Amino acid sequence: MDTWKKRTKAVHSGIRRSQYNEVSEAIFLTQGFVYDTAEDAEARFIKAGADEFIYARYGNPTVAMFEDRIAALEGAEDGFATASGMAAVNGALTSILRAGDHVVSARALFGSCLYILEEILPRYGVEVTFVDGTDLAAWKTAIRPDTKVVFFESISNPTLEVTDIAAVSKLAHAVDATVIVDNVFATPVFSNALEQGADVVVYSATKHIDGQGRALGGVILGTRDFIRGTVEPYMKHTGGSMSPFTAWMMLKGLETIDLRVRAQAATAHYLAEQLEADGQLANVIYPGLASHSQYALTMAQMQAGGTVLAIDASSQKAAFALLNALEIWTISNNLGDAKSIATHPATTTHQRLSDETKAMLGITPGLLRLSVGLEDPDDLLNDLRSAIAARA
């Protein structure tokens, strides 16, 4: 299995077959497990074996298949599946941090990630310093000898800034800090975050892993010692684990993720090139465009620009008019779906931020985040062009 390529791992890794030798993975919809004797129960609570289970909040065969498969795909030793992407972010951070610890984080983050770092962690005595994630000098200045964790999105939401994983990890490891990377926009298909220096990778499985808008989920990936020694005790006692049925859907999503994400990224690149050439927008942002300030880093880090682009329609009024004129694109706040989705971050995913913070992060009133789906590329382009023309 170690020699398999990603597409093969996404289909076959982690399979556990029952006595019936089913082809599709079985869903074990049970909250508990039976022991042959009282002595067996006692022994399992002292230390469960590699394929032994106690309670669904602690682990489940279907969930374990998903954890093993995504870990193999990402190149991690182990993973812990969570109820949502934010449960993964919170679990990765909170399980390792204590009062008095110091965190350095990129300032450009998803709104809920910002809430954890700005609001929740400081309540419990954790100091957080925010930096421009694209500025290595800022990282070097902010990381201190007592820094415990460094956190960033490999590609930021929604302005698509790219953080240099290898360079930031080198700075963090010089003080023995743990590097936690939210890798949603990079996807498991294009990601090499662990190879590039990250210690822990988190995903919202709700996005590309499911890929069809069916369920919430997340996963924390890292070394076996970190996952089973630090994350698992925290997650199983605080209740953030994934359900078996959700894990089964995520397994099905992984079977097609490579084909889906590569097709979506190719379309995103095509749309970005065409819209930039049209010259009808204030800005077109896509890491895979040669005009992007971090194009070289993007290509070195993930060899593709991803499935999301951003455009600036100049004003909120124009952005709303554009959104309301769309026929194929769906107005929603998810991403990584088979359906193409358009989002106005300033009034939805990042609406709680002050105008000053939005301006600092580049979340302008006219900014739209476009998550590219699996529709025909020309249909998507024509829909956007018609909506851009109609915004006037």
Side-chain angles (χ1 to χ4, degrees), residues 192-271:
N192 296 291
L194 294 174
E195 291 181 12
Q196 291 157 356
D199 300 299
V200 180
V201 169
V202 296
Y203 284 107
S204 171
T206 312
K207 310 303 191 289
H208 302 89
I209 293 172
D210 172 27
Q212 295 170 74
R214 298 171 295 190
L216 297 176
V219 66
I220 307 168
L221 298 154
T223 64
R224 187 158 289 109
D225 284 347
F226 177 72
I227 295 299
R228 298 303 156 189
T230 301
V231 173
E232 184 184 89
Y234 177 81
M235 295 303 295
K236 75 181 185 182
H237 291 300
T238 55
S241 54
M242 181 180 281
S243 78
F245 188 74
T246 297
W248 181 80
M249 283 191 285
M250 298 305 174
L251 283 163
K252 297 295 100 182
L254 283 177
E255 290 180 350
T256 61
I257 190 172
D258 193 278
L259 296 169
R260 287 185 288 104
V261 166
R262 290 187 188 280
Q264 289 167 299
T267 300
H269 196 161
Y270 170 70
L271 295 177

Side-chain angles (χ1 to χ4, degrees), residues 66-292:
F66 170 66
E67 292 169 342
D68 289 351
R69 185 171 296 180
I70 186 63
L73 190 58
E74 191 68 24
E77 288 182 2
D78 208 345
F80 191 93
T82 63
S84 69
M86 287 314 305
V89 172
N90 183 66
L93 288 167
T94 311
S95 65
I96 196 174
L97 292 169
R98 303 292 184 270
D101 285 342
H102 178 239
V103 176
V104 181
S105 172
R107 66 190 184 190
L109 298 172
F110 175 56
S112 294
C113 293
L114 276 172
Y115 184 82
I116 289 175
L117 289 153
E118 288 182 330
E119 302 288 339
I120 295 178
L121 291 181
R123 293 180 196 172
Y124 300 101
V126 176
E127 181 186 358
V128 181
T129 300
F130 290 97
V131 300
D132 178 349
T134 67
D135 186 346
L136 286 178
W139 284 106
K140 187 173 183 179
T141 299
I143 294 172
R144 310 186 314 219
D146 65 338
T147 298
K148 184 68 175 290
V149 167
V150 165
F151 177 77
F152 57 89
E153 296 172 352
S154 51
I155 302 177
S156 70
N157 182 1
T159 51
L160 307 178
E161 295 177 356
V162 183
T163 296
D164 189 330
I165 297 172
V168 174
S169 296
K170 184 177 180 180
L171 293 172
H173 292 157
V175 298
D176 293 324
T178 299
V179 178
I180 302 175
V181 176
D182 183 336
N183 220 26
V184 167
F185 278 50
T187 79
V189 173
F190 298 126
S191 166
N192 296 291
L194 294 174
E195 291 181 12
Q196 291 157 356
D199 300 299
V200 180
V201 169
V202 296
Y203 284 107
S204 171
T206 312
K207 310 303 191 289
H208 302 89
I209 293 172
D210 172 27
Q212 295 170 74
R214 298 171 295 190
L216 297 176
V219 66
I220 307 168
L221 298 154
T223 64
R224 187 158 289 109
D225 284 347
F226 177 72
I227 295 299
R228 298 303 156 189
T230 301
V231 173
E232 184 184 89
Y234 177 81
M235 295 303 295
K236 75 181 185 182
H237 291 300
T238 55
S241 54
M242 181 180 281
S243 78
F245 188 74
T246 297
W248 181 80
M249 283 191 285
M250 298 305 174
L251 283 163
K252 297 295 100 182
L254 283 177
E255 290 180 350
T256 61
I257 190 172
D258 193 278
L259 296 169
R260 287 185 288 104
V261 166
R262 290 187 188 280
Q264 289 167 299
T267 300
H269 196 161
Y270 170 70
L271 295 177
E273 284 185 327
Q274 295 300 313
L275 293 175
E276 185 177 58
D278 288 348
Q280 299 300 306
L281 295 161
N283 198 10
V284 176
I285 307 169
Y286 182 65
L289 284 177
S291 59
H292 193 281

Side-chain angles (χ1 to χ4, degrees), residues 211-212 256-257 259-265 267 336-341 371-377 380:
Q212 295 170 74
T256 61
I257 190 172
L259 296 169
R260 287 185 288 104
V261 166
R262 290 187 188 280
Q264 289 167 299
T267 300
D337 198 281
K339 298 177 177 65
S340 291
I341 293 172
S371 172
V372 177
L374 293 173
E375 301 92 343
D376 183 275
L380 292 175

